[in-house]
Amino acid sequence: MPRFSTSAKLLAVLLLSATAAWGQTRFPTAHGDRMSYNALIELPRGYMSGICMMVNSNDTIRGSLFNEFGISALDFTYLAGKRRVRLHHVVGPLNRWYLKRVVSHDLARLFEAMQRGDSTYTNERRNIRYQLTPISNDSEE
């Protein structure tokens, strides 16, 4: 039986743990799943950061994006079957039909990317970058 050095064993453990973490879903796929994310939206002249929380209810993802102070920027529903985002309760500066149209389209593309395992989406035409990074739920485990 071959003998492996301690460093080879450590490398194997790190590779296996990285592969297991890569395969984990970053999107609430089953009924009742809840996910929390650090959210960052970068615009050409500024950015918005905060927290995004989502819950899966049958085939619909309901979520809210709010800043660090608890002020809600927007609430949304994502219909996974139709791959469509509908915005609700949008904060004043974003409450314009043309802005809501861009944001809802971009969020739908971001959620599709998240289902593939990516956590960012960039709207090349408007130079807007969306990023959702999962927050660990150590208290639940």
Side-chain angles (χ1 to χ4, degrees), residues 8-26:
K9 291 177 186 175
L10 180 61
L11 180 62
V13 169
L14 288 175
L15 286 175
L16 287 174
S17 64
T19 304
W22 181 262
Q24 290 178 351
T25 181
R26 295 175 171 260

Side-chain angles (χ1 to χ4, degrees), residues 50-80:
I51 296 174
C52 180
M53 299 185 77
M54 290 191 256
V55 63
N56 187 334
S57 177
N58 294 329
D59 197 22
T60 303
I61 308 288
R62 299 182 191 284
S64 182
L65 178 67
F66 50 93
N67 69 4
E68 291 87 356
F69 299 109
I71 298 172
S72 179
L74 56 95
D75 297 331
F76 60 87
T77 55
Y78 174 62
L79 303 171

Side-chain angles (χ1 to χ4, degrees), residues 59-108:
D59 197 22
T60 303
I61 308 288
R62 299 182 191 284
S64 182
L65 178 67
F66 50 93
N67 69 4
E68 291 87 356
F69 299 109
I71 298 172
S72 179
L74 56 95
D75 297 331
F76 60 87
T77 55
Y78 174 62
L79 303 171
K82 295 182 180 181
R83 296 183 296 187
R84 178 184 168 120
V85 171
R86 186 164 292 197
L87 300 179
H88 312 280
H89 308 289
V90 180
V91 70
L94 294 176
N95 199 8
R96 308 283 187 269
W97 70 267
Y98 47 90
L99 295 176
K100 291 194 293 188
R101 183 176 179 183
V102 169
V103 170
S104 65
H105 179 268
D106 290 349
L107 285 178

Side-chain angles (χ1 to χ4, degrees), residues 25-29 34-40 49-55 61 64-66 76 110-111 114 118-119 131-137:
T25 181
R26 295 175 171 260
F27 198 72
T29 55
R34 297 177 188 272
M35 293 291 294
S36 300
Y37 304 92
N38 285 323
L40 178 65
S49 64
I51 296 174
C52 180
M53 299 185 77
M54 290 191 256
V55 63
I61 308 288
S64 182
L65 178 67
F66 50 93
F76 60 87
L110 173 65
F111 297 153
M114 290 176 68
D118 195 10
S119 64
Q131 180 178 6
L132 292 180
T133 309
I135 298 174
S136 64
N137 294 331

